[in-house]
Amino acid sequence: MRPMASLALSLILLLSACAPKEAKAPETPPSPTLATEVRTVRAQSGILEREVRASATLQAEKDSLVAAGASGRVLRTLPAGTRVQAGEGVVYLDPAPFQEALEAARLNLKQAEANLERARNQLAGNRATLKAQLQAAEAQLQAAKKRYEEGQALLSAGALAPLDLKALEAQYRQAESNYQNALEALSRLERGEDLRLLELQVEAARLQVRQAERNLKENTVRAPFAGEVVEVFVREGEFVGTGNRAFRLATTDRLLAKVYLPPDQASALTPETPFLLRQNEREVRARLLRKTDLPGQTRLVEVVLKPEDTLLPGPAEVRYRVKLAEGFLIPATSLQVQEGETLVYQVKEGKARKTPVRLLAQEGGQAAVEGLDEGAEVIHPVPVGLKDGDPVEVVR
């Protein structure tokens, strides 16, 4: 049995040696990494602004409720919408009562002047008469005094009855009173009290004449400035009293726009800030005229704008732009945040390179950043999965 096993083993080995060997497959080289197609934008320095919109109210630069200066009945009025010049009449009152009052005041003045003139003419004659009366009263007083003194002496000597002395004393007292009256009349004439009273009456009459003349002028309610009659509050035939409003006048061709903004927004506005007013599909430029220093009860600051063209009174929309930052402007979607760091991908030597940047401001799809060079090629949009160092191909 052993010689047979050895023979079989030798036969198997011989067949294995004679069998053809299989060819070994050649090794394939690794395929090269494909470049990612990207688009880029160039970073350019500029100012990032924000457009602000707010509600505004257009009001007349001058708007006045004109009142009647005198009472009277309305004869006629100008219709609303009429443009008038300063001093032009708008509401006309019946002038007849004012003319009659003026004539009566002039007559009173003439009468007062006549009384004063008559008093002045009488003054010279009265002075001489009063002086003569004073001298006569003084002589009568001296004579009555002398008779009274003589009577006292006769009474002491028993040559005159007491009753007769009483009569002499009464005459003396009467003469003394007459003298005092004459002296007072002359003094009053010299002081000119009666004349001064007549002069005051003349001044009062002149004042009434001036008042009547002024009322006659007030029978026409006039425009205090050039503008448009917006509204008339009285009609023909109606009675209007002194101080009652007659019409409303406004400078509709010179309007002011009032805007109410938070203090932080208002403080950023300057006379160089360009404004745009929009009303009924019409746009007009405007400039800053003034603004209040402190906010009002609404905690807002009143900002007044001056339109450069004509608009209508009423609501409008104001637009203006405020500066947010100055830097390199790129699309906001090109910014990436990785591990708390803001960066962009630039194309350098055919590869994507991460570049850290500092975000200054962002508005309306744009961002202002620092950390780039002028004209740097920033990848936008950023492909998903792009990594630092990946080969890229810029598609123009």
Side-chain angles (χ1 to χ4, degrees):
M1 292 297 293
R2 290 182 179 175
M4 290 297 292
S6 300
L7 181 60
L9 180 57
S10 300
L11 182 59
I12 292 172
L13 293 174
L14 180 60
L15 291 174
S16 299
C18 295
K21 296 183 179 179
E22 296 182 359
K24 188 177 181 181
E27 296 182 0
T28 57
S31 58
T33 303
L34 297 178
T36 303
E37 293 183 350
V38 296
R39 296 181 182 274
T40 61
V41 294
R42 293 189 178 275
Q44 295 182 348
S45 59
I47 298 176
L48 183 62
E49 296 178 328
R50 172 187 297 165
E51 184 182 64
V52 179
R53 299 187 181 188
S55 298
T57 302
L58 287 165
Q59 300 176 355
E61 184 176 2
K62 289 184 178 180
D63 193 334
S64 177
L65 292 176
V66 184
S71 301
R73 192 170 303 280
V74 180
L75 282 183
R76 69 183 182 93
T77 66
L78 297 183
T82 305
R83 298 197 63 82
V84 294
Q85 298 298 321
E88 186 175 348
V90 178
V91 176
Y92 297 85
L93 306 181
D94 185 5
F98 303 104
Q99 293 172 346
E100 294 172 357
L102 178 58
E103 290 300 325
R106 288 173 175 172
L107 288 176
N108 290 335
L109 175 60
K110 289 181 179 180
Q111 183 178 359
E113 289 176 342
N115 293 336
L116 177 62
E117 185 66 22
R118 183 172 62 251
R120 286 174 175 171
N121 293 334
Q122 293 175 352
L123 181 62
N126 290 343
R127 181 179 290 109
T129 301
L130 292 176
K131 282 184 178 180
Q133 292 176 355
L134 179 62
Q135 291 174 356
E138 184 179 7
Q140 292 175 2
L141 176 61
Q142 294 296 331
K145 181 180 180 181
K146 184 176 181 181
R147 288 194 298 269
Y148 175 65
E149 291 175 348
E150 290 176 350
Q152 287 178 328
L154 292 174
L155 179 64
S156 299
L160 184 67
L163 185 60
D164 294 335
L165 183 62
K166 290 289 183 181
L168 293 175
E169 183 180 5
Q171 293 175 2
Y172 171 61
R173 300 302 179 191
Q174 182 62 41
E176 189 177 32
S177 176
N178 293 339
Y179 174 77
Q180 293 296 331
N181 291 337
L183 182 62
E184 176 63 23
L186 182 60
S187 299
R188 186 169 61 251
L189 180 67
E190 295 293 343
R191 291 195 303 268
E193 291 180 356
D194 296 339
L195 194 65
R196 180 55 183 163
L197 180 60
L198 293 175
E199 290 174 347
L200 291 177
Q201 292 177 354
V202 171
E203 290 297 326
R206 287 174 179 171
L207 181 61
Q208 292 177 354
V209 170
R210 290 195 295 269
Q211 181 66 42
E213 291 174 344
R214 184 163 54 250
N215 289 340
L216 181 59
K217 293 180 180 179
E218 292 290 346
N219 84 300
T220 301
V221 189
R222 304 179 183 276
F225 52 85
E228 180 179 338
V229 179
V230 179
E231 188 176 3
V232 180
F233 302 106
V234 294
R235 291 179 292 184
E236 296 179 3
E238 292 182 346
F239 185 88
V240 60
T242 303
N244 292 350
R245 59 183 187 176
F247 62 92
R248 179 185 172 196
L249 184 69
T251 53
T252 55
D253 57 336
R254 300 197 302 273
L255 300 179
L256 298 179
K258 294 186 177 181
V259 190
Y260 295 91
L261 300 174
D264 56 338
Q265 295 185 17
S267 62
L269 303 179
T270 66
E272 288 73 29
T273 303
F275 296 91
L276 192 66
L277 289 171
R278 182 179 179 86
Q279 184 187 65
N280 300 330
E281 306 300 327
R282 175 176 169 80
E283 292 184 347
V284 172
R285 295 184 181 276
R287 59 180 177 84
L288 177 65
L289 186 62
R290 63 179 181 271
K291 56 183 177 179
T292 55
D293 296 331
L294 298 175
Q297 295 181 352
T298 58
R299 299 175 183 259
L300 298 177
V301 173
E302 182 187 66
V303 179
V304 182
L305 307 178
K306 176 70 173 177
E308 296 181 358
D309 206 343
T310 57
L311 289 172
L312 298 176
E317 182 187 57
V318 60
R319 301 179 182 180
Y320 63 95
R321 304 186 69 84
V322 295
K323 177 181 175 181
L324 298 180
E326 184 174 359
F328 291 101
L329 304 183
I330 58 175
T333 52
S334 63
L335 296 174
Q336 303 289 309
V337 179
Q338 297 180 5
E339 299 179 355
E341 183 181 38
T342 304
L343 54 88
V344 297
Y345 283 97
Q346 294 189 69
V347 177
K348 293 183 178 181
E349 298 179 355
K351 293 185 179 181
R353 294 300 184 186
K354 292 194 304 184
T355 304
V357 294
R358 177 172 173 263
L359 178 62
L360 301 177
Q362 183 175 337
E363 176 67 24
Q366 270 197 320
V369 300
E370 288 181 347
L372 297 176
D373 296 328
E374 183 72 31
E377 288 190 297
V378 177
I379 297 176
H380 176 264
V382 181
V384 178
L386 185 66
K387 299 186 297 296
D388 184 39
D390 287 350
V392 294
E393 180 181 354
V394 178
V395 179
R396 301 296 182 186

